[in-house]
Amino acid sequence: MPATVIVGLQWGDEGKGKTTDFLAEQVAVVVRYQGGDNAGHTVVVGDETVKLQLCPSGVLYPHITSVIGNGVVVNPATLIRELDMLMARGVDVSKVRVSRSAHVIMPYHVALDKGNETRLADAKVGTTGRGIGPTYGDRAWRLGLRMEDLVDEPTLRERITRSLVDKNLLLAAMGVDTFEVEPLVAQGLAWGERLRPHLDDSTWIVQDALRRGDHVLLEGAQGTLLDLDHGSYPFVTSSNPVAGGACTGGGIGPLQVDEVIGVMKAYSTRVGSGPFPTELFDEVGKGIAERGREFGTVTGRPRRVGWFDTVPLRYAVAVNSNSAIVLNKLDILSGIETIKVCVAYEIDGKRVDVWPSSGAALSRATPIYEDFPGWEEPIHNVRSLADLPENARRYVTALEEHAAVPIVFVSVGSERTQTIERAWRPMRHRSGLGA
Ligand code: IMP
């Protein structure tokens, strides 16, 4: 199975980093295909916790080539800080490759993101304030800067000069500081000098690896419900976290993808604004947030917490064409007397089983729940499905039935070893549920 996509099935923060890390030993190349330093991947190895924002999680393995693909928006300052942090930990970063075509997040993108959120006031998206939207906006408007421009002074100057004309007008209208061309050119060139050894043609790294028969892992950031096309617009990010994004942002064709692993948590979380039908506002929700340490990796913001929702799960599995699912953080639900699972919505007095494409309809949805008896005992040390408490097993099976895709790993703790691994045959063209 030479090419595997890992994709979040919820609103991000599903624990994709742990999954990539778990599979990393078998792979030669790991690619980040979208998003930027709005993402935060936490990888726990032994008693070490490493937080990554741009480098793919596989960077901790010396045999892996870590690729930041063309679909990523790169804040060079963050990337340089991350490389420094990794080097200080003794990690060899020479195999970190950055697409020359990846777009650059400039300081004015960050200022525009923050200024726009202030302007939106109550209607704000709750972005991470990292300049993600304005950078993708410039890319679509063909006003963007690409990583390759950081090592080409005339082009850099020309592009910044052109871009700043309207950026400064907007910033001034927002009442925030404007930018001058030359300091930005100097900053861009300094970043370019530092990152020059990492710049590469990422598509050919991926294609050559596949031709050799090496295993390539394409790692999504955020999640399906934050997808620009498939999420609850406008409360979404500005890229395509869905599996299709791995093709455009990672330089791979749809028929080259062999496996699409969806990652989800045993409950739901969401950061930022937007509809969240199963959100909890009670002590049970607070307990899940505390035990699950549900605070944003990047912003430190508390995440909103809710029951598991199978309505968007069924949608996510469809648009990602998942061949397998990883279920994370099952241990966090231990000790809850009754666990609820949303099976459908009521919208305007009608039962709705499918994820509504209308954001307005979604914001009027109330959940219809099915109750599951919980389990008392901690499950951190369980390593096989058979050893899980019966009620936990029932819960996993119910989620699997809703997804109609086999759950191949169940995570019962943040450590690599705290994982229940199920019989896992090569997935392509397989039908039916796993053993
Ligand atoms: P942006 O990606 O910073 O523009 O933020 C847009 C929306 O996506 C906001 O609701 C953010 O909270 C959310 N978001 C962006 N990145 C992540 C992430 O890595 N995890 C969870 N939510 C995210």
Side-chain angles (χ1 to χ4, degrees), residues 74-204:
V74 179
N75 183 327
T78 308
L79 179 57
I80 290 167
R81 257 201 316 277
E82 194 161 298
L83 292 173
D84 287 345
M85 177 274 290
L86 289 166
M87 282 193 296
R89 285 169 181 258
V91 176
D92 173 13
V93 296
S94 62
K95 286 188 173 163
V96 174
R97 316 311 300 154
V98 184
S99 167
R100 289 197 183 91
S101 318
H103 276 246
V104 182
I105 301 180
M106 294 296 283
Y108 47 82
H109 292 127
V110 176
L112 284 168
D113 189 5
K114 291 179 178 161
N116 195 47
E117 285 283 277
T118 308
R119 201 164 57 155
L120 285 170
D122 284 349
K124 72 175 185 213
V125 175
T127 71
T128 58
R130 299 297 152 119
I132 305 295
T135 308
Y136 278 117
D138 265 3
R139 183 176 80 157
W141 222 7
R142 291 153 307 220
L143 277 174
L145 277 177
R146 310 206 303 179
M147 291 303 288
E148 63 184 356
D149 300 330
L150 298 180
V151 291
D152 175 352
E153 184 170 345
T155 306
L156 183 66
R157 180 168 291 105
E158 186 193 313
R159 299 209 134 243
I160 290 177
T161 306
R162 198 181 306 151
S163 196
L164 270 193
V165 177
D166 55 321
K167 298 292 175 303
N168 277 343
L169 281 175
L170 251 177
L171 288 166
M174 289 172 176
V176 290
D177 290 345
T178 55
F179 289 84
E180 284 175 27
V181 173
E182 283 313 315
L184 288 177
V185 172
Q187 176 69 88
L189 290 173
W191 285 334
E193 247 348 270
R194 170 68 205 275
L195 295 173
R196 188 191 289 269
H198 298 280
L199 300 187
D200 219 322
D201 187 337
S202 59
T203 299
W204 286 117

Side-chain angles (χ1 to χ4, degrees), residues 11-14 16 35-41 113 117 125-134 136 221-223 226 234-239 269-274 296-299 301 303-304:
W11 281 279
D13 309 310
E14 300 94 347
K16 296 176 290 294
D37 60 348
N38 49 348
H41 286 176
D113 189 5
E117 285 283 277
V125 175
T127 71
T128 58
R130 299 297 152 119
I132 305 295
Y136 278 117
Q222 289 86 43
L226 286 174
F235 302 104
V236 292
T237 191
S238 301
S239 65
T269 63
R270 171 162 207 174
V271 197
S273 323
T297 318
V298 173
T299 58
R301 289 183 287 180
R303 294 178 185 143
R304 300 157 68 193

Side-chain angles (χ1 to χ4, degrees), residues 1 258-259 323-324 406 408 422-435:
M1 44 168 196
D258 296 81
E259 188 96 43
S323 53
V408 294
R422 296 177 74 192
W424 190 15
R425 287 170 272 144
M427 303 286 166
R428 196 152 207 208
H429 309 307
R430 195 180 69 171
S431 59
L433 299 181

